[in-house]
Amino acid sequence: MSCTEKNLTQKLVLDPFCGSGTVALEASIHGFLPLVADANPLALLLTKVKTTPYCIEKLIRIKEKISYKYIRYKVAPTIDIVNPDLWYLPEHKKQLEILLRTIEEIVDQEEKAFFKICFSSLTKKVSFADPAISVPVRLKTKEKFSPTINARINKRLDWIKSANIIQEFNIIVDANIERVIETNNKYPNRSTAKQVGIDARSLFTNLNDSIPMPDNSVPLVITSPPYGSAQKYIRSSSLSLNWLSFVPPKGLRSLEEKSIGREHLITELLCLEEGNLPKTYNNLIERIAKTNNSRARITQKYLIEMEQVAKELSRIIAPSGRIIFILGNNQVCGETLRNDGFM
């Protein structure tokens, strides 16, 4: 909830692959109502938090309450994350669990979302994951690295081992509160993003996915769709997804199966008749299959699903509207996948 009620003209911008919420934030501060969808629940939470005009006084009160409870609590429910001993010191994991317990006790859902995003940032900051790599990879020195790089890595590892969990959390919270203050001052009438689904192929007006978005209802779509070359979209946020109980470690593959641009497929049998793709792209898939059948199947599935996305966006776009895709072309097994030509 914002500090004051706001009357906004409902100009709409849709981003069906909202990711980290960049389009939604820009739409919000320019007076539009952002409509968003994404298969990754962390992306939806982050986008909501980025676009919410929080009441600063309320955030500060909750922050103080969290610190007070953190000092008092000695135990908390164990959180199941993938390979915990690889990513965290045992004492840090316990402290993170206690901190998460205090956050889960926040009554107001919007404020809880803010502190969950701060907590998610903390779980990355104090983990042994290499901050320079998107997917979790253990940070460690290597003989092939220069002495300067290895010294920098050792310094980072020493810092992690001595990190004060609540102190680092409060640093993150304070920085994010400052961002909200600045945005509130510049754009006091912005609106929070509205979720319209979890799948860009099927968009809805309500959260239980029972009422499809009306035909010809959105004047502008701006989105940067995923790529179809086995990108690690879900794996890159796996720790946060586990910590925030969006999915358990064994549920990551299931979530990936719901995503477009996935890294794996359960069924990897290639049938060129599936999807009725243009001949040029079927020929491309055949060439990829000669090198790697799995990557060929992943590419084929991606193109089929992106065609379904294009049909859904064509259905909901207003007659004089615009659909803007921000994309590039990429290599799959040495072959160029022309995403621009396909879309």
Side-chain angles (χ1 to χ4, degrees), residues 37-219:
D38 204 288
N40 190 329
L42 181 65
L44 292 169
L45 184 70
L46 178 57
T47 299
K48 177 183 178 181
V49 169
K50 273 189 175 182
T51 56
T52 297
Y54 289 101
C55 180
I56 301 304
E57 293 78 9
K58 195 170 185 179
L59 292 179
I60 292 173
R61 287 197 304 269
I62 293 174
K63 173 200 164 187
E64 292 171 350
K65 188 177 292 186
I66 287 173
S67 295
Y68 174 74
K69 288 184 175 181
Y70 176 83
I71 295 171
R72 292 181 62 224
Y73 291 166
K74 303 304 178 186
V75 295
T78 300
I79 304 299
D80 188 16
I81 66 167
V82 60
N83 299 324
D85 295 335
L86 181 64
W87 307 120
Y88 298 99
L89 293 173
E91 58 269 30
H92 280 178
K93 184 169 186 293
K94 179 181 178 181
Q95 291 163 8
L96 287 168
E97 289 165 344
I98 290 173
L99 179 57
L100 184 58
R101 176 187 170 186
T102 71
I103 294 171
E104 291 292 357
E105 292 176 356
I106 298 172
V107 174
D108 297 303
Q109 293 302 308
E110 288 189 353
E111 282 71 28
K112 182 185 289 188
F114 174 88
F115 287 98
K116 279 189 171 182
I117 288 299
C118 295
F119 178 82
S120 173
S121 297
L122 177 68
T123 62
K124 296 178 184 178
K125 187 176 182 179
V126 300
S127 77
F128 288 117
D130 189 335
I133 302 175
S134 60
V135 297
V137 175
R138 174 85 182 208
L139 181 66
K140 56 185 178 181
T141 58
K142 295 181 181 179
E143 287 186 7
K144 65 179 181 180
F145 291 161
S146 68
T148 302
I149 292 176
N150 279 329
R152 189 182 306 138
I153 291 172
N154 279 323
K155 183 178 180 180
R156 170 75 180 174
L157 293 172
D158 289 341
W159 177 87
I160 292 171
K161 293 172 184 177
S162 63
N164 182 305
I165 294 299
I166 191 62
Q167 180 178 317
E168 294 303 324
F169 177 72
N170 285 331
I171 289 172
I172 293 170
V173 170
D174 289 342
N176 285 335
I177 286 178
E178 285 300 316
R179 292 186 179 99
V180 176
I181 291 173
E182 183 179 356
T183 313
N184 282 357
N185 289 337
K186 289 184 178 180
Y187 309 101
N189 295 319
R190 71 191 190 280
S191 55
T192 305
K194 178 185 177 184
Q195 182 181 334
V196 293
I198 59 173
D199 188 337
R201 295 167 291 178
S202 187
L203 300 169
F204 297 86
T205 61
N206 58 340
L207 290 182
N208 62 3
D209 294 352
S210 61
I211 305 174
M213 286 187 67
D215 295 353
N216 312 127
S217 60
V218 178

Side-chain angles (χ1 to χ4, degrees), residues 276-322:
N276 195 29
L277 295 174
K279 184 178 180 180
T280 301
Y281 288 88
N282 270 338
N283 291 342
L284 171 69
I285 292 165
E286 281 190 287
R287 294 197 300 273
I288 295 172
K290 291 178 181 178
T291 302
N292 189 317
N293 189 78
S294 176
R295 294 294 293 279
R297 172 61 177 155
I298 287 172
T299 303
Q300 179 192 44
K301 189 70 172 176
Y302 167 77
L303 293 174
I304 291 170
E305 291 175 338
M306 285 304 298
E307 182 179 20
Q308 294 166 348
V309 169
K311 288 180 178 179
E312 176 70 345
L313 298 184
S314 297
R315 179 186 71 80
I316 65 168
I317 198 71
S320 59
R322 294 289 183 270

Side-chain angles (χ1 to χ4, degrees), residues 15-19 23 222-227 233 306 324-328:
D15 184 354
F17 299 102
C18 67
V23 169
I222 304 177
T223 194
S224 180
Y227 290 89
Y233 295 111
M306 285 304 298
I324 300 172
F325 286 105
I326 298 94
L327 48 72

